[in-house]
Amino acid sequence: MNTITTTNFNFPGQKSVYKGKVREVYNINDEQLVMIATDRLSAFDVVMPKGIPYKGQILNQIATKMMAATQDLVPNWLTATPDPNVAVGHLCEPFKVEMVIRGYMSGHAAREYKAGKRELCGVAMPEGMKENDAFPEPIITPATKAEMGNHDEDISRENILRRGIVSEADYVVLEDYTRKLFKRGSEIAASRGLILVDTKYEFGKTKEGNIVLIDEIHTPDSSRYFYADGYEDRQAKNEPQKQLSKEFVRQWLIANNFQGLKGQTVPFMSDDYIETVSERYIELYENITGETFVKGDVSNIQERIERNVLAYLKH
C-alpha cells in the first residue's frame, strides 16, 4: 500500500517547512505556501503509525471543492491545486485558535455533557439534552492551536480576548465567518442527504491584513457528518447515529483502550483494518461531494508531487 507519510522536498525559493499533524507546509519566498496533505492519520492528537491510502488526496480535494463553494461568502487563501495532494495559496499568519462550531451535541461536547458539565468554552448547554440532539442555535466553542504532540485546549471567547490571542475586532470577523461557513456547509450537506454536525475552521491574515480561511474545510477530519435519513428515528430510539467522519476510528481506538492518555499505547492496525479505513474515507468523499472518487497514481507519490509542484512554480 503506497502512502505518503512524510516529505522532505527542497523547492526553489523555499524558506522554511512547517509540519503539522497531517499537513506539511512549505514557505516559498515568503510569498506563497505549498501545502501537502499526507496520508497520516491523527486521532486524540496522536499520529497513528501507518498512513491511510488516498487519505491525503481525499482531504485535499474535498477542501478544494468546499473552498470553491464558499468563496462568495468568505475569502480564502487558495490559488491553485497542482497535484491531487497539494494546495498552493497566499502566505498567511495563522490565528492561534481553531474556530469550532457545533450544531449538535456530539463527540467532545457530549463527553463533557455526560461528565456533568453544562458549559463549554463559556457557552451554556441547555439542560435535558441527550447525545446527538441539535442545539437550539449552533454554538462556537474555540480551541487553542497546539504544537504537534500536544492537545488542543478548549478556550472561551473571554479568555481569547483577555489573553490577547486575537483582537476583539478580528474575533468579531472570525465569529461572523464561522457562522456563515457553517450555514453554507449545512446547506451543502443537506443537499447530499447529510447533516453537518460540527466542524472547525482555521483563519489567517494575508500580508495585506485581510482575514482569510486557511487549511481545510468540511472534510471528514475537521467535521462530523450524520446521515439525515433515519436521524429522527434513531434519536427517538436512543440509537447511535450513522456517522460520516473520523469518529469511527476514534471509536475503534477507544474499544482498543486508547484515548491518547499518558501510558497508553496505540493498538496495532493490521493492513486489513487500514484498508477498511481507506475505503471509509473514499465513501466519505463520494457522499460529501456527490462525485466518484478518482484515485491518483500512487506508484511513486513523492516523485509525482515533486514533479507537479516544480512545474507549477516554474510557470
Side-chain angles (χ1 to χ4, degrees):
M1 290 189 290
N2 280 346
T3 58
I4 184 163
T5 54
T6 188
T7 70
N8 192 21
F9 298 121
N10 195 359
F11 297 123
Q14 184 173 313
K15 296 275 188 189
S16 61
V17 187
Y18 167 78
K19 302 203 172 196
K21 293 186 193 106
V22 173
R23 288 169 175 72
E24 310 207 333
V25 185
Y26 289 78
N27 172 343
I28 310 297
N29 288 323
D30 286 333
E31 288 294 333
Q32 51 187 346
L33 298 176
V34 172
M35 188 162 77
I36 297 164
T38 71
D39 295 324
R40 292 197 294 265
L41 175 65
S42 155
F44 298 114
D45 292 319
V46 176
V47 175
M48 301 294 121
K50 291 182 180 174
I52 306 300
Y54 303 106
K55 178 177 173 287
Q57 179 187 343
I58 287 165
L59 293 191
N60 190 54
Q61 292 187 330
I62 291 175
T64 301
K65 288 175 189 299
M66 291 294 179
M67 290 222 173
T70 55
Q71 64 188 6
D72 60 315
L73 290 177
V74 174
N76 63 59
W77 76 291
L78 191 66
T79 53
T81 47
D83 179 272
N85 286 63
V86 179
V88 180
H90 301 291
L91 176 83
C92 298
E93 180 64 41
F95 286 99
K96 290 187 167 45
V97 289
E98 292 181 343
M99 297 299 285
V100 180
I101 182 165
R102 304 172 184 279
Y104 293 73
M105 196 186 66
S106 300
H108 174 60
R111 289 190 279 272
E112 294 287 284
Y113 199 89
K114 267 185 190 151
K117 294 184 184 165
R118 291 295 176 269
E119 195 176 90
L120 190 58
C121 303
V123 182
M125 297 188 286
E127 285 292 345
M129 290 186 76
K130 63 183 183 190
E131 187 168 359
N132 302 330
D133 276 353
F135 286 115
E137 288 284 323
I139 62 171
I140 292 178
T141 59
T144 55
K145 278 286 287 170
E147 293 302 314
M148 194 161 172
N150 294 324
H151 289 275
D152 295 341
E153 285 180 22
D154 291 341
I155 187 167
S156 67
R157 180 189 205 271
E158 288 67 32
N159 269 342
I160 290 169
L161 300 182
R162 199 187 71 230
R163 286 164 54 183
I165 299 170
V166 181
S167 75
E168 186 158 14
D170 285 349
Y171 195 79
V172 168
V173 176
L174 298 190
E175 282 189 322
D176 178 52
Y177 281 175
T178 297
R179 293 194 189 281
K180 282 176 176 163
L181 289 167
F182 189 68
K183 185 170 184 291
R184 176 67 57 83
S186 300
E187 289 161 1
I188 294 169
S191 74
R192 313 255 190 264
L194 301 172
I195 294 168
L196 179 58
V197 178
D198 53 45
T199 190
K200 68 179 173 83
Y201 302 114
E202 296 188 39
F203 298 94
K205 252 192 189 175
T206 63
K207 283 181 162 180
E208 295 73 37
N210 299 319
I211 296 176
V212 295
L213 176 67
I214 61 170
D215 203 43
E216 62 183 339
I217 162 179
H218 301 156
T219 72
D221 270 23
S222 66
S223 318
R224 192 188 317 270
Y225 290 93
F226 291 156
Y227 286 93
D229 188 36
Y231 164 80
E232 300 285 358
D233 198 37
R234 284 187 285 272
Q235 279 305 91
K237 294 177 179 168
N238 291 320
E239 292 174 359
Q241 286 299 331
K242 204 173 163 209
Q243 298 217 10
L244 258 185
S245 70
K246 203 169 58 171
E247 187 67 19
F248 72 93
V249 176
R250 291 191 199 99
Q251 294 300 342
W252 182 85
L253 290 168
I254 290 169
N256 286 278
N257 305 310
F258 182 80
Q259 288 190 64
L261 303 174
K262 213 172 177 179
Q264 294 183 333
T265 38
V266 177
F268 173 72
M269 290 186 171
S270 68
D271 285 351
D272 283 349
Y273 179 70
I274 296 279
E275 194 59 42
T276 64
V277 176
S278 181
E279 284 163 8
R280 282 292 289 275
Y281 267 92
I282 290 170
E283 180 195 347
L284 293 168
Y285 175 93
E286 294 186 338
N287 278 280
I288 292 166
T289 66
E291 295 171 17
T292 303
F293 180 66
V294 180
K295 293 178 176 180
D297 174 9
V298 293
S299 52
N300 190 332
I301 309 175
Q302 298 266 359
E303 196 269 321
R304 185 200 79 201
I305 289 174
E306 187 168 36
R307 186 179 66 241
N308 287 338
V309 172
L310 287 173
Y312 173 79
L313 293 175
K314 278 197 184 98
H315 83 249

